[in-house]
Amino acid sequence: MSNALGQQHFMLLSGASRGIGHATVKLFQERSWRILTISRHPFSDECLWPAARESHIQADLANLSSLDELVADVRSRLPDGRLHALVNNAGISPRSPDGSRLGTMATNAETWHAVLNVNLISTALLAQKLQPELAKAKGSVVNVTSIAGSRVHPFAGVAYAASKAALAALTREMAHEFGPYGIRVNAIAPGEIDTAMLSPGTNEIVEREIPLRRLGEPREVAEAIFFLCSERSSYINGAEIHISGGQHV
Ligand code: NAD
């Protein structure tokens, strides 16, 4: 996509290798946006869409000391210093070795640090470091929270839930701080989306808790992210949109 002056729109998205992130880059790409992606792993041929390889930046968001180098790489790829969308999608939800929920009693300091670094702190620092590029484009930030941030979930652990609740608070804070620069900051809170993150047993939740009685598709989440990055949502700032088939009601 380009504006009246023919400048291309750029999106930076974390966690593009699969799931919601993968569906989102494909959708933005179909709508002619230029994409930059952050992934932990080297480029994989499984994540194929035109220009995927050139768009790929390898970085581990659990390692906060790598963020300066990552941001320098992003800047060098923005032709006129404008970033129109930052989508903070990467997330981890660790489980115990037997697959059960990691509650307060079972979560050690190492797990707390890893989850908070990836799901929360790297998000705040990326937005902080790229604020000038977002301001120049009057861009949009979308943080991917979760239904687990606002209610106890049978599979999501305590560190994950706390990180997502904090990410919702960070969204509110950033909407307040970045709004005067013309940057909108919003969140989307998925429920049960058909990705590798789901646990066995999710089918029971679908029957018991989701009014629409089905899982969500990654593409349905991608559409909401696209809306929040487009002009159609030009007065929406500081919102958290539930994409859960009504699971949150
Ligand atoms: P996924 O596990 O399929 O994908 C997560 C992505 O994050 C992957 O691309 C992974 O490589 C990346 N990632 C993880 N750790 C990283 C790190 N240290 N550095 C860089 N990248 C890293 O999950 P998904 O289901 O597509 O989830 C995407 C987002 O949606 C997450 O923030 C998740 O918490 C949220 N979410 C998902 C669901 C769901 O039902 N799938 C529900 C609620 C919220």
Side-chain angles (χ1 to χ4, degrees):
M1 200 188 135
S2 51
N3 64 14
L5 301 172
Q7 291 153 340
Q8 280 237 280
H9 278 42
F10 275 79
M11 168 183 69
L12 174 65
L13 177 141
S14 63
S17 61
R18 58 187 203 185
I20 293 168
H22 184 58
T24 304
V25 291
K26 278 175 71 179
L27 185 77
F28 275 68
Q29 226 257 336
E30 282 164 29
R31 296 181 183 166
S32 303
W33 279 58
R34 295 284 299 277
I35 321 279
L36 299 171
T37 59
I38 303 168
S39 292
R40 219 175 351 170
H41 301 296
F43 181 76
S44 151
D45 283 327
E46 280 169 32
C47 184
L48 272 186
W49 42 274
R53 189 178 292 279
E54 305 90 271
S55 310
H56 182 92
I57 303 171
Q58 190 177 344
D60 180 357
L61 295 173
N63 175 10
L64 301 180
S65 60
S66 70
L67 292 183
D68 279 335
E69 197 183 326
L70 164 63
V71 168
D73 193 345
V74 171
R75 278 201 189 109
S76 73
R77 296 172 192 233
L78 298 174
D80 60 1
R82 281 176 228 268
L83 180 63
H84 302 84
L86 169 63
V87 180
N88 294 302
N89 165 73
I92 51 172
S93 181
R95 298 192 187 101
S96 65
D98 68 1
S100 60
R101 181 175 191 274
L102 282 177
T104 310
M105 302 306 287
T107 304
N108 60 25
E110 198 186 335
T111 302
W112 273 107
H113 282 300
V115 171
L116 289 175
N117 281 357
V118 176
N119 295 9
L120 177 70
I121 301 173
S122 65
T123 294
L125 295 177
L126 267 184
Q128 176 199 65
K129 291 174 196 298
L130 289 167
Q131 195 268 5
E133 286 74 15
L134 286 161
K136 203 168 171 195
K138 302 229 176 299
S140 183
V141 178
V142 179
N143 295 327
V144 181
T145 60
S146 169
I147 191 160
S150 54
R151 54 185 279 189
V152 175
H153 188 277
F155 306 123
V158 64
Y160 179 81
S163 74
K164 294 296 188 178
L167 186 56
L170 175 67
T171 303
R172 192 171 65 229
E173 294 291 328
M174 280 172 48
H176 171 76
E177 266 185 60
F178 284 19
Y181 298 91
I183 305 168
R184 296 181 297 108
V185 185
N186 294 290
I188 52 136
E192 311 298 328
I193 310 301
D194 197 359
T195 66
M197 192 174 266
L198 292 185
S199 299
T202 300
N203 284 345
E204 287 156 37
I205 300 183
V206 171
E207 282 310 308
R208 209 177 45 233
E209 293 182 19
I210 303 181
L212 287 183
R213 296 285 185 271
R214 65 172 178 86
L215 296 174
E217 293 297 328
R219 177 101 181 175
E220 293 177 298
V221 182
E223 286 283 4
I225 294 174
F226 185 81
F227 168 70
L228 288 173
C229 294
S230 75
E231 271 300 303
R232 292 185 180 191
S233 60
S234 51
Y235 203 55
I236 301 181
N237 186 32
E240 185 177 26
I241 298 182
H242 296 277
I243 309 171
S244 68
Q247 186 181 3
H248 65 287
V249 298

PDB file of all heavy atoms in Angstrom, residues 193-219:
ATOM      1  N   ILE A 193      -7.569 -19.758  19.189  1.00  0.00           N
ATOM      2  CA  ILE A 193      -7.319 -19.655  17.746  1.00  0.00           C
ATOM      3  C   ILE A 193      -6.580 -20.920  17.294  1.00  0.00           C
ATOM      4  O   ILE A 193      -5.690 -21.403  18.014  1.00  0.00           O
ATOM      5  CB  ILE A 193      -6.483 -18.394  17.416  1.00  0.00           C
ATOM      6  CG1 ILE A 193      -7.094 -17.140  18.086  1.00  0.00           C
ATOM      7  CG2 ILE A 193      -6.369 -18.201  15.900  1.00  0.00           C
ATOM      8  CD1 ILE A 193      -8.520 -16.799  17.714  1.00  0.00           C
ATOM      9  N   ASP A 194      -6.930 -21.414  16.138  1.00  0.00           N
ATOM     10  CA  ASP A 194      -6.409 -22.703  15.674  1.00  0.00           C
ATOM     11  C   ASP A 194      -4.935 -22.586  15.266  1.00  0.00           C
ATOM     12  O   ASP A 194      -4.614 -22.358  14.101  1.00  0.00           O
ATOM     13  CB  ASP A 194      -7.272 -23.173  14.487  1.00  0.00           C
ATOM     14  CG  ASP A 194      -7.061 -24.642  14.228  1.00  0.00           C
ATOM     15  OD1 ASP A 194      -6.246 -25.263  14.935  1.00  0.00           O
ATOM     16  OD2 ASP A 194      -7.726 -25.169  13.316  1.00  0.00           O
ATOM     17  N   THR A 195      -4.036 -22.706  16.256  1.00  0.00           N
ATOM     18  CA  THR A 195      -2.587 -22.618  16.031  1.00  0.00           C
ATOM     19  C   THR A 195      -1.894 -23.663  16.915  1.00  0.00           C
ATOM     20  O   THR A 195      -2.534 -24.314  17.738  1.00  0.00           O
ATOM     21  CB  THR A 195      -2.031 -21.245  16.466  1.00  0.00           C
ATOM     22  OG1 THR A 195      -2.194 -21.146  17.893  1.00  0.00           O
ATOM     23  CG2 THR A 195      -2.729 -20.090  15.808  1.00  0.00           C
ATOM     24  N   ALA A 196      -0.557 -23.703  16.784  1.00  0.00           N
ATOM     25  CA  ALA A 196       0.226 -24.667  17.566  1.00  0.00           C
ATOM     26  C   ALA A 196       0.175 -24.363  19.065  1.00  0.00           C
ATOM     27  O   ALA A 196       0.540 -25.199  19.891  1.00  0.00           O
ATOM     28  CB  ALA A 196       1.676 -24.635  17.086  1.00  0.00           C
ATOM     29  N   MET A 197      -0.274 -23.141  19.438  1.00  0.00           N
ATOM     30  CA  MET A 197      -0.280 -22.784  20.860  1.00  0.00           C
ATOM     31  C   MET A 197      -1.382 -23.509  21.641  1.00  0.00           C
ATOM     32  O   MET A 197      -1.344 -23.607  22.860  1.00  0.00           O
ATOM     33  CB  MET A 197      -0.428 -21.266  21.007  1.00  0.00           C
ATOM     34  CG  MET A 197      -0.150 -20.788  22.408  1.00  0.00           C
ATOM     35  SD  MET A 197      -0.159 -19.013  22.576  1.00  0.00           S
ATOM     36  CE  MET A 197       1.567 -18.602  22.383  1.00  0.00           C
ATOM     37  N   LEU A 198      -2.385 -24.021  20.955  1.00  0.00           N
ATOM     38  CA  LEU A 198      -3.514 -24.660  21.655  1.00  0.00           C
ATOM     39  C   LEU A 198      -3.078 -25.956  22.342  1.00  0.00           C
ATOM     40  O   LEU A 198      -2.184 -26.647  21.879  1.00  0.00           O
ATOM     41  CB  LEU A 198      -4.642 -24.977  20.666  1.00  0.00           C
ATOM     42  CG  LEU A 198      -5.364 -23.782  20.059  1.00  0.00           C
ATOM     43  CD1 LEU A 198      -6.525 -24.254  19.214  1.00  0.00           C
ATOM     44  CD2 LEU A 198      -5.844 -22.824  21.144  1.00  0.00           C
ATOM     45  N   SER A 199      -3.758 -26.286  23.438  1.00  0.00           N
ATOM     46  CA  SER A 199      -3.469 -27.518  24.175  1.00  0.00           C
ATOM     47  C   SER A 199      -4.497 -28.578  23.813  1.00  0.00           C
ATOM     48  O   SER A 199      -5.625 -28.246  23.440  1.00  0.00           O
ATOM     49  CB  SER A 199      -3.583 -27.270  25.675  1.00  0.00           C
ATOM     50  OG  SER A 199      -2.677 -26.314  26.071  1.00  0.00           O
ATOM     51  N   PRO A 200      -4.111 -29.865  23.998  1.00  0.00           N
ATOM     52  CA  PRO A 200      -5.136 -30.896  23.873  1.00  0.00           C
ATOM     53  C   PRO A 200      -6.203 -30.599  24.932  1.00  0.00           C
ATOM     54  O   PRO A 200      -5.874 -30.173  26.029  1.00  0.00           O
ATOM     55  CB  PRO A 200      -4.390 -32.200  24.215  1.00  0.00           C
ATOM     56  CG  PRO A 200      -2.939 -31.872  24.190  1.00  0.00           C
ATOM     57  CD  PRO A 200      -2.790 -30.395  24.390  1.00  0.00           C
ATOM     58  N   GLY A 201      -7.445 -30.791  24.624  1.00  0.00           N
ATOM     59  CA  GLY A 201      -8.499 -30.468  25.603  1.00  0.00           C
ATOM     60  C   GLY A 201      -9.216 -29.184  25.237  1.00  0.00           C
ATOM     61  O   GLY A 201     -10.230 -28.839  25.847  1.00  0.00           O
ATOM     62  N   THR A 202      -8.681 -28.465  24.243  1.00  0.00           N
ATOM     63  CA  THR A 202      -9.323 -27.205  23.855  1.00  0.00           C
ATOM     64  C   THR A 202     -10.749 -27.448  23.340  1.00  0.00           C
ATOM     65  O   THR A 202     -11.638 -26.609  23.523  1.00  0.00           O
ATOM     66  CB  THR A 202      -8.472 -26.484  22.781  1.00  0.00           C
ATOM     67  OG1 THR A 202      -7.190 -26.235  23.341  1.00  0.00           O
ATOM     68  CG2 THR A 202      -9.092 -25.169  22.367  1.00  0.00           C
ATOM     69  N   ASN A 203     -10.975 -28.605  22.742  1.00  0.00           N
ATOM     70  CA  ASN A 203     -12.323 -28.891  22.204  1.00  0.00           C
ATOM     71  C   ASN A 203     -13.401 -28.773  23.266  1.00  0.00           C
ATOM     72  O   ASN A 203     -14.516 -28.340  22.988  1.00  0.00           O
ATOM     73  CB  ASN A 203     -12.360 -30.299  21.592  1.00  0.00           C
ATOM     74  CG  ASN A 203     -11.669 -30.285  20.249  1.00  0.00           C
ATOM     75  OD1 ASN A 203     -11.429 -29.207  19.694  1.00  0.00           O
ATOM     76  ND2 ASN A 203     -11.326 -31.466  19.743  1.00  0.00           N
ATOM     77  N   GLU A 204     -13.038 -29.178  24.508  1.00  0.00           N
ATOM     78  CA  GLU A 204     -14.035 -29.068  25.587  1.00  0.00           C
ATOM     79  C   GLU A 204     -14.369 -27.608  25.880  1.00  0.00           C
ATOM     80  O   GLU A 204     -15.518 -27.265  26.164  1.00  0.00           O
ATOM     81  CB  GLU A 204     -13.509 -29.719  26.864  1.00  0.00           C
ATOM     82  CG  GLU A 204     -13.485 -31.229  26.780  1.00  0.00           C
ATOM     83  CD  GLU A 204     -12.481 -31.829  27.736  1.00  0.00           C
ATOM     84  OE1 GLU A 204     -12.328 -31.286  28.852  1.00  0.00           O
ATOM     85  OE2 GLU A 204     -11.840 -32.825  27.357  1.00  0.00           O
ATOM     86  N   ILE A 205     -13.342 -26.756  25.815  1.00  0.00           N
ATOM     87  CA  ILE A 205     -13.592 -25.318  26.039  1.00  0.00           C
ATOM     88  C   ILE A 205     -14.535 -24.797  24.962  1.00  0.00           C
ATOM     89  O   ILE A 205     -15.450 -24.018  25.222  1.00  0.00           O
ATOM     90  CB  ILE A 205     -12.275 -24.499  25.988  1.00  0.00           C
ATOM     91  CG1 ILE A 205     -11.305 -24.981  27.045  1.00  0.00           C
ATOM     92  CG2 ILE A 205     -12.548 -23.017  26.125  1.00  0.00           C
ATOM     93  CD1 ILE A 205     -10.025 -24.169  27.104  1.00  0.00           C
ATOM     94  N   VAL A 206     -14.308 -25.250  23.731  1.00  0.00           N
ATOM     95  CA  VAL A 206     -15.131 -24.780  22.610  1.00  0.00           C
ATOM     96  C   VAL A 206     -16.602 -25.082  22.900  1.00  0.00           C
ATOM     97  O   VAL A 206     -17.467 -24.212  22.762  1.00  0.00           O
ATOM     98  CB  VAL A 206     -14.679 -25.451  21.290  1.00  0.00           C
ATOM     99  CG1 VAL A 206     -15.656 -25.145  20.166  1.00  0.00           C
ATOM    100  CG2 VAL A 206     -13.272 -24.995  20.917  1.00  0.00           C
ATOM    101  N   GLU A 207     -16.878 -26.306  23.326  1.00  0.00           N
ATOM    102  CA  GLU A 207     -18.255 -26.706  23.575  1.00  0.00           C
ATOM    103  C   GLU A 207     -18.861 -25.981  24.779  1.00  0.00           C
ATOM    104  O   GLU A 207     -20.022 -25.600  24.789  1.00  0.00           O
ATOM    105  CB  GLU A 207     -18.327 -28.225  23.828  1.00  0.00           C
ATOM    106  CG  GLU A 207     -18.239 -29.051  22.560  1.00  0.00           C
ATOM    107  CD  GLU A 207     -19.221 -28.565  21.493  1.00  0.00           C
ATOM    108  OE1 GLU A 207     -20.418 -28.437  21.798  1.00  0.00           O
ATOM    109  OE2 GLU A 207     -18.780 -28.269  20.364  1.00  0.00           O
ATOM    110  N   ARG A 208     -18.023 -25.785  25.811  1.00  0.00           N
ATOM    111  CA  ARG A 208     -18.544 -25.273  27.082  1.00  0.00           C
ATOM    112  C   ARG A 208     -18.599 -23.747  27.132  1.00  0.00           C
ATOM    113  O   ARG A 208     -19.502 -23.157  27.690  1.00  0.00           O
ATOM    114  CB  ARG A 208     -17.622 -25.786  28.194  1.00  0.00           C
ATOM    115  CG  ARG A 208     -18.269 -25.989  29.527  1.00  0.00           C
ATOM    116  CD  ARG A 208     -17.301 -26.558  30.550  1.00  0.00           C
ATOM    117  NE  ARG A 208     -16.002 -25.921  30.567  1.00  0.00           N
ATOM    118  CZ  ARG A 208     -14.841 -26.584  30.464  1.00  0.00           C
ATOM    119  NH1 ARG A 208     -14.820 -27.878  30.340  1.00  0.00           N
ATOM    120  NH2 ARG A 208     -13.687 -25.935  30.485  1.00  0.00           N
ATOM    121  N   GLU A 209     -17.584 -23.090  26.518  1.00  0.00           N
ATOM    122  CA  GLU A 209     -17.399 -21.661  26.813  1.00  0.00           C
ATOM    123  C   GLU A 209     -17.520 -20.704  25.634  1.00  0.00           C
ATOM    124  O   GLU A 209     -17.536 -19.499  25.838  1.00  0.00           O
ATOM    125  CB  GLU A 209     -15.990 -21.450  27.416  1.00  0.00           C
ATOM    126  CG  GLU A 209     -15.823 -22.076  28.773  1.00  0.00           C
ATOM    127  CD  GLU A 209     -14.444 -21.796  29.356  1.00  0.00           C
ATOM    128  OE1 GLU A 209     -13.775 -20.854  28.901  1.00  0.00           O
ATOM    129  OE2 GLU A 209     -14.042 -22.541  30.258  1.00  0.00           O
ATOM    130  N   ILE A 210     -17.505 -21.228  24.416  1.00  0.00           N
ATOM    131  CA  ILE A 210     -17.470 -20.291  23.285  1.00  0.00           C
ATOM    132  C   ILE A 210     -18.846 -20.239  22.619  1.00  0.00           C
ATOM    133  O   ILE A 210     -19.282 -21.217  22.008  1.00  0.00           O
ATOM    134  CB  ILE A 210     -16.385 -20.693  22.257  1.00  0.00           C
ATOM    135  CG1 ILE A 210     -15.033 -20.766  22.958  1.00  0.00           C
ATOM    136  CG2 ILE A 210     -16.354 -19.711  21.089  1.00  0.00           C
ATOM    137  CD1 ILE A 210     -13.871 -21.117  22.065  1.00  0.00           C
ATOM    138  N   PRO A 211     -19.540 -19.103  22.747  1.00  0.00           N
ATOM    139  CA  PRO A 211     -20.883 -19.017  22.174  1.00  0.00           C
ATOM    140  C   PRO A 211     -20.935 -19.394  20.685  1.00  0.00           C
ATOM    141  O   PRO A 211     -21.909 -20.010  20.258  1.00  0.00           O
ATOM    142  CB  PRO A 211     -21.267 -17.541  22.406  1.00  0.00           C
ATOM    143  CG  PRO A 211     -20.513 -17.171  23.649  1.00  0.00           C
ATOM    144  CD  PRO A 211     -19.203 -17.908  23.561  1.00  0.00           C
ATOM    145  N   LEU A 212     -19.891 -19.070  19.921  1.00  0.00           N
ATOM    146  CA  LEU A 212     -19.939 -19.418  18.492  1.00  0.00           C
ATOM    147  C   LEU A 212     -19.614 -20.896  18.240  1.00  0.00           C
ATOM    148  O   LEU A 212     -19.686 -21.364  17.093  1.00  0.00           O
ATOM    149  CB  LEU A 212     -18.980 -18.529  17.676  1.00  0.00           C
ATOM    150  CG  LEU A 212     -19.412 -17.084  17.464  1.00  0.00           C
ATOM    151  CD1 LEU A 212     -18.402 -16.345  16.584  1.00  0.00           C
ATOM    152  CD2 LEU A 212     -20.797 -16.982  16.844  1.00  0.00           C
ATOM    153  N   ARG A 213     -19.209 -21.634  19.296  1.00  0.00           N
ATOM    154  CA  ARG A 213     -18.986 -23.097  19.219  1.00  0.00           C
ATOM    155  C   ARG A 213     -17.970 -23.513  18.165  1.00  0.00           C
ATOM    156  O   ARG A 213     -18.132 -24.553  17.508  1.00  0.00           O
ATOM    157  CB  ARG A 213     -20.303 -23.830  18.942  1.00  0.00           C
ATOM    158  CG  ARG A 213     -21.343 -23.702  20.020  1.00  0.00           C
ATOM    159  CD  ARG A 213     -21.025 -24.563  21.251  1.00  0.00           C
ATOM    160  NE  ARG A 213     -22.096 -24.521  22.219  1.00  0.00           N
ATOM    161  CZ  ARG A 213     -22.183 -23.599  23.208  1.00  0.00           C
ATOM    162  NH1 ARG A 213     -21.265 -22.675  23.350  1.00  0.00           N
ATOM    163  NH2 ARG A 213     -23.187 -23.627  24.059  1.00  0.00           N
ATOM    164  N   ARG A 214     -16.921 -22.705  17.992  1.00  0.00           N
ATOM    165  CA  ARG A 214     -15.843 -23.124  17.095  1.00  0.00           C
ATOM    166  C   ARG A 214     -14.573 -22.367  17.459  1.00  0.00           C
ATOM    167  O   ARG A 214     -14.628 -21.350  18.170  1.00  0.00           O
ATOM    168  CB  ARG A 214     -16.201 -22.873  15.632  1.00  0.00           C
ATOM    169  CG  ARG A 214     -16.356 -21.396  15.260  1.00  0.00           C
ATOM    170  CD  ARG A 214     -16.524 -21.222  13.754  1.00  0.00           C
ATOM    171  NE  ARG A 214     -16.718 -19.818  13.387  1.00  0.00           N
ATOM    172  CZ  ARG A 214     -15.733 -18.947  13.156  1.00  0.00           C
ATOM    173  NH1 ARG A 214     -14.473 -19.312  13.243  1.00  0.00           N
ATOM    174  NH2 ARG A 214     -16.007 -17.688  12.828  1.00  0.00           N
ATOM    175  N   LEU A 215     -13.430 -22.887  16.986  1.00  0.00           N
ATOM    176  CA  LEU A 215     -12.163 -22.166  17.142  1.00  0.00           C
ATOM    177  C   LEU A 215     -12.144 -20.978  16.185  1.00  0.00           C
ATOM    178  O   LEU A 215     -12.856 -20.978  15.170  1.00  0.00           O
ATOM    179  CB  LEU A 215     -10.982 -23.076  16.788  1.00  0.00           C
ATOM    180  CG  LEU A 215     -10.751 -24.301  17.661  1.00  0.00           C
ATOM    181  CD1 LEU A 215      -9.622 -25.155  17.063  1.00  0.00           C
ATOM    182  CD2 LEU A 215     -10.387 -23.871  19.086  1.00  0.00           C
ATOM    183  N   GLY A 216     -11.291 -20.005  16.488  1.00  0.00           N
ATOM    184  CA  GLY A 216     -11.060 -18.917  15.539  1.00  0.00           C
ATOM    185  C   GLY A 216      -9.959 -19.311  14.564  1.00  0.00           C
ATOM    186  O   GLY A 216      -9.112 -20.152  14.871  1.00  0.00           O
ATOM    187  N   GLU A 217      -9.982 -18.705  13.395  1.00  0.00           N
ATOM    188  CA  GLU A 217      -8.933 -18.943  12.399  1.00  0.00           C
ATOM    189  C   GLU A 217      -7.903 -17.821  12.485  1.00  0.00           C
ATOM    190  O   GLU A 217      -8.279 -16.662  12.695  1.00  0.00           O
ATOM    191  CB  GLU A 217      -9.543 -18.930  10.983  1.00  0.00           C
ATOM    192  CG  GLU A 217     -10.485 -20.076  10.697  1.00  0.00           C
ATOM    193  CD  GLU A 217      -9.757 -21.414  10.764  1.00  0.00           C
ATOM    194  OE1 GLU A 217      -8.562 -21.461  10.436  1.00  0.00           O
ATOM    195  OE2 GLU A 217     -10.394 -22.393  11.184  1.00  0.00           O
ATOM    196  N   PRO A 218      -6.613 -18.137  12.289  1.00  0.00           N
ATOM    197  CA  PRO A 218      -5.600 -17.074  12.310  1.00  0.00           C
ATOM    198  C   PRO A 218      -5.941 -15.897  11.399  1.00  0.00           C
ATOM    199  O   PRO A 218      -5.710 -14.740  11.729  1.00  0.00           O
ATOM    200  CB  PRO A 218      -4.331 -17.804  11.843  1.00  0.00           C
ATOM    201  CG  PRO A 218      -4.534 -19.221  12.275  1.00  0.00           C
ATOM    202  CD  PRO A 218      -6.013 -19.476  12.124  1.00  0.00           C
ATOM    203  N   ARG A 219      -6.566 -16.192  10.277  1.00  0.00           N
ATOM    204  CA  ARG A 219      -6.914 -15.124   9.324  1.00  0.00           C
ATOM    205  C   ARG A 219      -7.934 -14.144   9.935  1.00  0.00           C
ATOM    206  O   ARG A 219      -7.938 -12.953   9.624  1.00  0.00           O
ATOM    207  CB  ARG A 219      -7.477 -15.792   8.061  1.00  0.00           C
ATOM    208  CG  ARG A 219      -7.951 -14.861   6.998  1.00  0.00           C
ATOM    209  CD  ARG A 219      -6.937 -14.746   5.917  1.00  0.00           C
ATOM    210  NE  ARG A 219      -7.366 -13.819   4.874  1.00  0.00           N
ATOM    211  CZ  ARG A 219      -6.621 -13.471   3.858  1.00  0.00           C
ATOM    212  NH1 ARG A 219      -5.419 -13.946   3.713  1.00  0.00           N
ATOM    213  NH2 ARG A 219      -7.058 -12.620   2.970  1.00  0.00           N
TER     214      ARG A 219
END
